Amino acid sequence: MTDKQYTICVTEAQNYTNRDAYISDMALSSVWGDSPDAQTQQDRLDQLGSVYDAVHRSVKDVAAAAGISVRAMAVRFCIPIRTAESWCGTTDAGRQCPLYTRLMMQECLGLIKR
């Protein structure tokens, strides 16, 4: 998946609440510009599932998926612990962790298959 394809997939994933619908729609998208063989198609489906999951994970879910506590994740990424805890407990959009931050943490933790 190229960086451009990744950006398009992330942007689109934000518009979906149904994982299977997202994967199906994006797998057939013209963004790929090719006719994949069976192996490539399966890899693409796996990548799309990984992107969808990453976009929809909360900070708490990111830590859990990595097998660490929110506090340990905050220390690892030099995020103030109170900020990370705030991201976990708030429904206020102004205090939520930005998507790009959650994506970067997940890439560093090996949670996104690209």
Side-chain angles (χ1 to χ4, degrees), residues 1-3 5-7 9-10 13 19 22-23 32 38-55 57 65 102-114:
M1 180 180 306
T2 67
D3 288 342
Q5 290 167 333
Y6 177 73
T7 300
C9 290
V10 165
R19 185 180 193 271
Y22 165 77
I23 292 171
W32 308 107
Q39 180 59 40
T40 305
Q41 183 66 22
Q42 186 57 52
D43 290 343
R44 185 171 296 161
L45 296 175
D46 293 343
Q47 290 171 337
L48 288 168
S50 178
V51 168
Y52 181 88
D53 293 343
V55 167
R57 274 189 194 111
R102 286 184 286 127
L103 291 173
M104 284 190 287
M105 288 189 292
Q106 291 177 84
E107 286 206 31
C108 290
L109 294 167
L111 300 176
I112 299 175
K113 181 181 178 184
R114 283 184 61 180

Side-chain angles (χ1 to χ4, degrees), residues 12-87:
E12 283 299 312
Q14 295 175 80
N15 300 322
Y16 282 81
T17 56
N18 183 297
R19 185 180 193 271
D20 292 335
Y22 165 77
I23 292 171
S24 176
D25 289 351
M26 287 306 297
L28 299 173
S29 170
S30 63
V31 70
W32 308 107
D34 66 0
S35 246
D37 59 33
Q39 180 59 40
T40 305
Q41 183 66 22
Q42 186 57 52
D43 290 343
R44 185 171 296 161
L45 296 175
D46 293 343
Q47 290 171 337
L48 288 168
S50 178
V51 168
Y52 181 88
D53 293 343
V55 167
H56 292 277
R57 274 189 194 111
S58 67
V59 170
K60 194 174 194 176
D61 293 338
V62 171
I68 59 177
S69 68
V70 171
R71 184 175 285 264
M73 189 171 69
V75 169
R76 177 170 180 173
F77 291 108
C78 299
I79 299 167
I81 292 170
R82 291 186 75 172
T83 299
E85 289 173 346
S86 173
W87 287 340

